[in-house]
Structures are given as structure tokens and as C-alpha cells.
Amino acid sequence: MQLIYFAAFELVLYGGLRYLLFDQPFTQDTKDPTIVPRWVSVVYFILLYLAVVIGAMLLLSNLVPRKHKNQIMRWFWLSLLLMLPFLVLLVNQ
């Protein structure tokens, strides 16, 4: 059941941040080529993703009994690892 909740949380978070930051039409202001054209959106994605994940971890660590707190940390580290493939997907759009 934890895996289903975790997957749902990650999909909603990724979809929400992608819609919020990357679904606007892109216009490049300068003629200079950049490696990541939407680097500002990528930085905002990283900051918002970290803020939501850390906030969820802090909230859950207060609600969950002490014997299950180590599981929260495992899901937290897995969530941080999942940020890298999410960034690769966003940059390659």
C-alpha cells in the first residue's frame, strides 16, 4: 500500500510541477544558444520539488509512530533519487 501512495504522490507532484512550470509556450529572449533553454524553470522545479518532498517528510514524521519512521526516510531518499529522471524528462522535452 505504501508503494501505491508513494507512486501516486510522485506522479501528482511531477505532473503538477510540469504543468505549472513547463506547459507555457517557450520563447527564447536572446539569440545565444544555451544547453538547457528553460534553465529558470528547471531551477524552480528543483526548488519546489525539494520543498514539497521535505514538507511531506516532516509532516509524515510527525504523524507516523516511531517504529515506522525509518520507512519514511527510505521513501524520502527514493524520492530524491527520482528527481534525477524527472529532470532528464523535463530537459529533453
Side-chain angles (χ1 to χ4, degrees), residues 10 13-14 17-18 20-22 36 38-55 76 79-80 82-88 90-91:
E10 289 294 323
L13 181 60
Y14 172 74
L17 290 177
R18 191 188 76 203
L20 182 67
L21 298 171
F22 288 89
V36 179
R38 295 181 178 213
W39 65 273
V40 173
S41 295
V42 170
V43 171
Y44 284 149
F45 178 85
I46 293 169
L47 291 175
L48 289 173
Y49 187 88
L50 288 174
V52 170
V53 168
I54 291 171
F76 173 72
S79 181
L80 290 182
L82 275 176
M83 184 174 58
L84 295 174
F86 288 160
L87 286 172
V88 170
L90 289 173
V91 168

Side-chain angles (χ1 to χ4, degrees), residues 16-28:
L17 290 177
R18 191 188 76 203
Y19 173 76
L20 182 67
L21 298 171
F22 288 89
D23 279 350
Q24 295 87 17
F26 176 68
T27 57
Q28 191 166 359

